[in-house]
Amino acid sequence: MANFVVSENVAAMHGSSTMIAAQMASEMRAKGIDVIDLSVGEPDFDTPEFIKNLAIEGLRSGLTKYTPAAGLAKFRQSIVDFYAKEFGAQLTPNEIAASCGGKQALFNAACSLLDPGDEVLIPKPYWVTFPEIVHFCRATPKYIETEANDFVLTAEMVKAAIGANTKLLIVNSPNNPTGRVIPKDELIRIIELCASRGVYVITDECYLFFAYPPAEPFSSAVLPKDVREVVCVAGSFSKTFAMTGWRIGYTIANPEWTKAMVKLQSHSATHPTSFVQYACAQALDSFDQTKAAVAAMTVEYERRRDWLIPELNNVNGFKCGMPEGAFYAFVDVRGLLGEKFPTSAAVAESLLKEAHIVVTDGEGFGADGFLRISYATSMENLKNAVKQMRELFAKG
Ligand code: GLU
């Protein structure tokens, strides 16, 4: 048989470096190696018990068949109600579609909008999947450097980057990998600018509920309808409810964009699992219980952050700003680079080989010279990791 030739669309993509790092950690564990996995952004908390029980309830009630491709009517309504209660957003169910995780939400949004040759603005550093989706659509990423402003995107930066072929901007706040949060007023300015220039915006809000005071969660779903016309919010339950394996997310976009995404999804995953949709809808309806569960996780992430960041700054060659949201430390290791470590990938490799610590190299995020450290893991793991890092990179 002839050699398999991969399609040009898929050949244009790179594998997900976050998933590759996570895979590496689990393979090492399978070999009996005691690994400290600081790679993937996956909550170490279990899914709250009441959500598991709701899924069982949905299953037992006979929700074992197809749902509409856009998701159960109940699921769409519960998102509308939750966003009204939590943020004061005025949405309608025809602006909501259920998806198999935030990643499929992003894929649906981009693939139903982009044509070959369209230009897509992506602020750097970016979550690894953004450019790959753009490549898959045969569109062209145009990167915006943000380091000069401590990795926070501004309307000025976007204004300078918009060109004749710009179709879309992808923003992510709180940000993976930097943990930075775009201030509410600035984000509104950015989206208003895009709306005035006919540029669409996908806002990846999967860390929305993990912003540490004084940073505040801001959802673009609250923007006035005329501005929201250009916006697609990609939401996810994965981080919010510590349910990464359940694969459930959603989009909030204008009814026409939503229809296009649902059409696309009806030919791929069809819809996320029926009783998982039920569990999420019911969980959102149990507003106080849900808020309490998320708040407990946020407080714990914040405690870890407060301990971890000063400690990382005490490791020779490491420099790390204070994340305002999400659960990643984004460490500048350029101070270590030289003959021994030509790249941050070499630093990551040495952590892996010498200390069995798995981190994600910055290159996949468009940030060579940095490492991403997930603190969605126990304090014990973090303490052990920091101790070993200090030894490994000790001066002299
Ligand atoms: N979003 C998480 C991360 O960046 C999970 C892995 C993934 O979906 O790529 O680590």
Side-chain angles (χ1 to χ4, degrees):
M1 186 167 153
N3 280 347
F4 175 72
V5 180
V6 66
S7 73
E8 286 179 21
N9 283 16
V10 174
M13 303 170 92
H14 299 94
S16 163
S17 57
T18 49
M19 297 309 286
I20 291 168
Q23 180 65 27
M24 198 158 65
S26 76
E27 279 168 15
M28 285 170 74
R29 253 193 311 267
K31 283 187 198 146
I33 301 170
D34 196 9
V35 179
I36 303 181
D37 184 5
L38 309 179
S39 65
V40 77
E42 175 163 58
D44 57 318
F45 304 109
D46 196 3
T47 306
E49 209 52 34
F50 78 100
I51 300 180
K52 289 189 194 173
N53 288 334
L54 286 167
I56 294 165
E57 186 180 293
L59 192 53
R60 292 238 159 90
S61 77
L63 272 174
T64 56
K65 303 288 195 288
Y66 289 130
T67 77
L72 291 166
K74 170 79 190 120
F75 178 89
R76 300 170 93 187
Q77 187 62 50
S78 293
I79 300 265
V80 168
D81 296 344
F82 183 86
Y83 271 73
K85 202 161 178 187
E86 175 72 1
F87 302 112
Q90 293 180 315
L91 304 169
T92 48
N94 63 352
E95 293 173 284
I96 315 292
S99 62
C100 299
K103 228 179 247 180
Q104 194 186 28
L106 293 163
F107 240 93
N108 287 346
C111 292
S112 54
L113 177 75
L114 296 174
D115 287 310
D118 285 340
E119 197 173 77
V120 180
L121 304 181
I122 304 180
K124 267 180 152 184
Y126 43 75
W127 181 47
V128 294
T129 292
F130 297 158
E132 306 308 333
I133 297 177
V134 173
H135 288 136
F136 177 79
C137 295
R138 309 269 191 115
T140 310
K142 182 174 177 183
Y143 300 107
I144 304 179
E145 296 291 342
T146 61
E147 189 176 358
N149 192 41
D150 272 341
F151 301 123
V152 178
L153 184 73
T154 65
E156 277 308 302
M157 293 176 189
V158 176
K159 194 170 170 190
I162 292 178
N165 296 327
T166 306
K167 179 82 158 277
L168 172 70
L169 164 72
I170 306 180
V171 285
N172 170 220
S173 173
N175 183 272
N176 173 9
T178 64
R180 299 311 308 274
V181 173
I182 303 173
K184 174 181 162 188
D185 291 348
E186 195 60 37
L187 191 49
I188 293 174
R189 263 195 292 276
I190 291 169
I191 296 174
E192 283 175 348
L193 166 74
C194 288
S196 75
R197 302 285 296 270
V199 173
Y200 289 88
V201 184
I202 295 177
T203 65
D204 177 353
E205 296 187 356
C206 77
Y207 298 97
L208 182 63
F209 297 95
F210 300 119
Y212 311 113
E216 272 181 74
F218 171 73
S219 174
S220 302
V222 303
L223 292 170
K225 215 172 166 126
D226 56 324
V227 179
R228 233 167 7 86
E229 283 298 300
V230 300
V231 175
C232 177
V233 172
S236 169
F237 289 90
S238 293
K239 323 286 176 183
T240 315
F241 293 153
M243 49 196 300
T244 47
W246 299 51
R247 306 316 299 140
I248 180 140
Y250 53 93
T251 47
I252 305 173
N254 73 56
E256 291 309 309
W257 198 348
T258 299
K259 253 193 240 160
M261 292 192 277
V262 172
K263 180 164 85 173
L264 173 65
Q265 181 163 284
S266 75
H267 292 294
S268 57
T270 316
H271 59 74
T273 305
S274 49
F275 50 88
V276 170
Q277 291 182 48
Y278 172 86
C280 288
Q282 298 293 335
L284 290 179
D285 289 358
S286 307
F287 189 81
D288 294 337
Q289 208 172 1
T290 291
K291 292 282 293 176
V294 176
M297 291 189 258
T298 312
V299 165
E300 177 57 19
Y301 288 139
E302 193 177 3
R303 185 176 80 93
R304 295 174 190 175
R305 175 199 72 158
D306 290 347
W307 179 84
L308 179 66
I309 307 306
E311 292 289 333
L312 287 173
N313 278 308
N314 276 333
V315 176
N316 177 43
F318 279 22
K319 225 167 81 185
C320 184
M322 201 59 153
E324 301 161 284
F327 34 65
Y328 305 106
F330 195 53
V331 186
D332 181 352
V333 296
R334 287 173 295 191
L336 284 176
L337 303 190
E339 212 172 306
K340 187 166 175 201
F341 302 116
T343 58
S344 51
V347 179
E349 195 183 323
S350 132
L351 279 167
L352 180 71
K353 290 204 170 133
E354 316 282 328
H356 299 156
I357 297 172
V358 190
V359 298
T360 314
D361 177 36
E363 199 201 344
F365 306 100
D368 211 353
F370 287 77
L371 300 179
R372 190 192 74 173
I373 291 175
S374 165
Y375 52 88
T377 188
S378 67
M379 275 301 266
E380 190 193 350
N381 273 345
L382 294 174
K383 285 185 174 164
N384 283 337
V386 164
K387 182 170 171 285
Q388 297 198 59
M389 287 170 177
R390 208 177 278 140
E391 285 166 14
L392 190 60
F393 302 118
K395 269 203 194 101

